[in-house]
Each structure stands twice: as structure tokens, then as C-alpha cells.
Amino acid sequence: MNDGAICPEVLTEGFLVEHHPRGHGRKPGLLKGLTPAECSAGPPRGYILKGLIAPGDVAIVYGPPGSGKSVLVPHLAYAVAQGRWVFGRRVKRRRVLYFAAEDGHGMRARIAALMLEHGDAPDFLLVIEPLDLMNSDDRARLKQACIDHEAGLVVIDTIARAFVGLRENDPGPEGMGTVVSCTRELAGEERAVVAVHHAPKGGDSPRGHGSLNGDADVTLHLEGEPGAGTRATVKKNRNGESGLTLGFTIRATELGRDEDGDPTTAPVLDEVDGAVGKKPRKLSPQVRQGFAILHNTITARGAPLPNLDGFPSASLRGCRVEEWRRECTARALAGSDDDDTRKRVFRRVRTELTNAGLIAERDGWVWAVPGG
């Protein structure tokens, strides 16, 4: 044996490829790596609900019975179908396929209520036909429906009803293993999946085997009483911030009258403060100064926000983002005469105020979030 000698067959294009006798003489292909510069030059990650859900994601929304899971998720999905801002976040319009496995009749009423509240959404499709996603044929039917309808978001409501006979504590093919593989296959690279699930009594993670929580890209945990106010907390966000909260209340809206003349109602959601916000955190003096400059600009030269979809329904005043930026420059927010430094500081201040739930933007307008 020629110890210490390098076999020439394993020297390829300047790279040393490990020789393995079980390779039967086949030279393994070289893996391509990305340099930091190539990583930096790559396109930004897309989104469906900015900062929370992106194509390819699997999100789990979970909570105890009666916490509002099946009111919050239709509210989010309907906004996606309309491309309408929700909880102060940008939304990219996508076709939605909503599989209501638990309560098809009740979900029809909730979607009717959403149409009364927010207008029509032709890109929202409700599926109430019974499917058993433990069955490979039904999984294939749902996936084909996503392809045929070009769905960008698919909702499974709920896991327990959609996967008949699911052994929730089993990680194998008769348990959460099938749920994980099904949601991943549905998501692929082109669409996101949101699955509604339950939480164990007193628990703050999804019910059943931990593989479901471990595989998810995003998890939202609902807490509180719908009548008194509920919040969904982002417990896990693989590609964004965790700790964000969606605050909301639930009320009944009248749909019409039944055969006896009594009102028929369905639950709808009212966003609290209209923003996704973090729990209060300390802001730097520079960020507080930028926020004060915004308030002063709106007071001096602001205007009522446009009466269009995506803007707050309240009669709030705002200003153009560019006008705010010019005022920050005039008041030396950055403390520098360098134009690149000024732009960088303004972007950071703007981002921190948005992430803190203190401001919101749309179509070049910016305003202070009420109660933020």
C-alpha cells in the first residue's frame, strides 16, 4: 500500500475529494457552495404575510377550545385572498384554499360574515367536502386541487378532524409523521400551509408528539377569552421575530333572518390596535426622536389617510414617508452630513418603529398606530 501518497484520480480541479472504496470508482460530484458575497447578492426572501408567513412555510395555529382559532385563521386567510393589510402588516395577494374539516356549515357562515365586513374575495375558496388526509388518495386530491386552483395558501382546519384516526402522540406514519410529511408536501416551494390544532390543557405547545412543533416554521399560540380579548403570540418564527402578538376581540355580526324571523349571526374578529407588535421594549433616544419628528410632521402638515382598502377604518391622519424623511434630515436625526449615513439611520429608525408596532405604512403613507 502506498501510505501517504495521493491517488491522482481523486484530485479534481484543485479539490481533494475523499476516496471511498465503496464508491466503486465513481467520482462524486462537487457540491456547490455560496460565498458570503453571493449570499448577500441573492434575492430577498418573499412573503405572504410579511414577517410571519412566506412561500414554503408551514405554520401551526394552536390553542385551547373556544380561544378563537377558527375565527383568527379565516380572518388572516381572507386578507391574503384580498391582498389587504392585516394586523398592520403587508400582505401579498394569493389564491387561498381553505379546507374546513371540522365545521363546514359554521365556516360558510363565517366566510359570509367576512364578505359583509370586507367585501368579496373571489380568490378565497372554501372546501367542505369530507377528506381523510390519513388516506393517500385524499392527500393526492387535496394537492391536485392546490395545483389546479394555483393556491398560494392552503389552510387545514383542524388537524384532528382532517387526519381521521390520527395517533397524535405517535411520530410514525399513523401519527404526526403523516401530518408533517403531508403539510411539507403541500407547501413545497410555492405555497404556505397553515394548520389549526389544539393545545393540551395548561400547555403552551401544540398537542401531541413534538415532531409537529419541531418541523413547523411558525407557531402561533392563542391565549385569553374571546369576549374579553385574545392574543396570538408567535412562539416560533424560523425566519423572523418571535414574541410578536396579534391582539383581537370577537363579536357576533348579523347575517340575516331565519324562517322564524330571528337573527342569524356569525363571529367576526376586530383587530386590537390594528398592528402586530412586540411586547413593549426600550427604544433608543434616536428612535424616540424619529418618532417625535413623525408626530410633529403629521401635526404640522399631515392629512387624513385615504379611504381605501388596507388603511385604518378610523379617521386617522398621516403623512408621506418621503416628507417624514426630509424632516428627519432637516432636524439632523442622523447627526451627520453624509447622505448614506442619513439614509441608513432613517431606515433603521423606520424599521424599529414598525417592529415595535408604533407605526404602520401603506402606499407611501405612514401613520402612528393608535394605542401603540
Side-chain angles (χ1 to χ4, degrees):
M1 177 176 286
N2 186 14
D3 292 337
I6 298 176
C7 180
E9 297 87 58
V10 298
L11 280 174
T12 307
E13 299 181 11
F15 287 85
L16 176 62
V17 181
E18 181 183 2
H19 176 69
H20 200 293
R22 285 177 292 180
H24 303 293
R26 179 175 57 84
K27 297 178 183 178
L30 294 177
L31 294 177
K32 178 175 173 54
L34 296 176
T35 67
E38 288 172 326
C39 292
S40 178
R45 189 169 184 263
Y47 67 88
I48 295 174
L49 175 55
K50 195 164 190 178
L52 287 179
I53 300 174
D57 279 354
V58 172
I60 306 297
V61 180
Y62 63 100
S67 58
K69 300 182 296 295
S70 291
V71 180
L72 171 64
V73 176
H75 180 83
L76 296 173
Y78 204 82
V80 169
Q82 293 182 315
R84 170 175 51 82
W85 280 43
V86 65
F87 288 99
R89 293 276 164 161
R90 287 185 183 275
V91 170
K92 283 190 178 176
R93 183 173 177 176
R94 293 290 185 270
R95 178 72 59 87
V96 174
L97 204 63
Y98 198 111
F99 175 33
E102 183 158 297
D103 181 12
H105 180 78
M107 192 56 67
R108 288 183 64 174
R110 292 174 187 184
I111 302 309
L114 283 167
M115 187 172 71
L116 286 176
E117 293 281 320
H118 301 289
D120 197 7
D123 283 332
F124 186 100
L125 300 174
L126 179 65
V127 177
I128 60 175
E129 180 180 348
L131 293 173
D132 175 10
L133 298 184
M134 293 299 289
N135 181 287
S136 60
D137 290 338
D138 279 0
R139 290 198 301 272
R141 289 183 65 200
L142 182 58
K143 183 177 180 180
Q144 189 60 49
C146 292
I147 296 170
D148 293 342
H149 293 296
E150 299 180 340
L153 176 67
V154 58
V155 178
I156 299 173
D157 185 0
T158 60
I159 287 175
R161 289 294 184 91
F163 294 83
V164 180
L166 176 69
R167 297 181 180 179
E168 292 186 355
N169 293 313
D170 185 344
E174 294 184 354
M176 285 302 180
T178 293
V179 178
V180 169
S181 62
C182 176
T183 53
R184 278 295 162 200
E185 186 176 2
L186 286 173
E189 296 181 357
E190 301 176 356
R191 69 183 65 87
V193 173
V194 174
V196 182
H197 195 41
H198 300 287
K201 187 175 182 180
D204 63 354
S205 60
R207 192 174 70 189
H209 193 270
S211 57
L212 179 68
N213 188 56
D215 179 76
D217 300 292
V218 178
T219 62
L220 282 82
H221 180 215
L222 272 71
E223 304 169 277
E225 297 293 333
T230 300
R231 69 178 182 274
T233 303
V234 180
K235 292 289 187 178
K236 177 182 180 182
N237 193 350
R238 187 167 285 166
N239 294 288
E241 284 189 281
S242 59
L244 302 171
T245 59
L246 313 178
F248 61 94
T249 58
I250 295 175
R251 60 180 166 84
T253 188
E254 185 172 324
L255 299 177
R257 300 276 170 171
D258 65 15
E259 60 185 11
D260 299 318
D262 296 323
T264 59
T265 63
V268 293
L269 179 153
D270 288 321
E271 299 173 13
V272 174
D273 295 337
V276 178
K278 284 205 71 162
K279 294 174 182 178
R281 61 183 181 185
K282 187 175 180 180
L283 301 175
S284 70
Q286 194 173 51
V287 173
R288 292 201 302 271
Q289 182 187 359
F291 192 38
I293 292 173
L294 174 63
H295 273 287
N296 292 337
T297 304
I298 292 173
T299 300
R301 293 184 297 279
L305 295 173
N307 185 22
L308 299 172
D309 284 346
F311 287 91
S313 56
S315 56
L316 292 177
R317 293 172 64 85
C319 67
R320 307 297 292 187
V321 173
E322 183 59 24
E323 190 171 17
W324 177 32
R325 187 194 67 76
R326 286 197 300 266
E327 194 65 22
C328 287
T329 297
R331 299 195 186 194
L333 174 67
S336 172
D337 292 330
D338 179 68
D339 191 49
D340 287 341
T341 300
R342 289 172 174 173
K343 290 178 181 178
R344 185 171 62 253
V345 169
F346 179 72
R347 284 197 301 268
R348 181 176 57 79
V349 168
R350 182 178 171 187
T351 299
E352 288 197 28
L353 289 172
T354 300
N355 290 342
L358 296 174
I359 68 171
E361 297 181 26
R362 184 173 177 83
D363 298 341
W365 287 85
V366 59
W367 61 93
V369 172

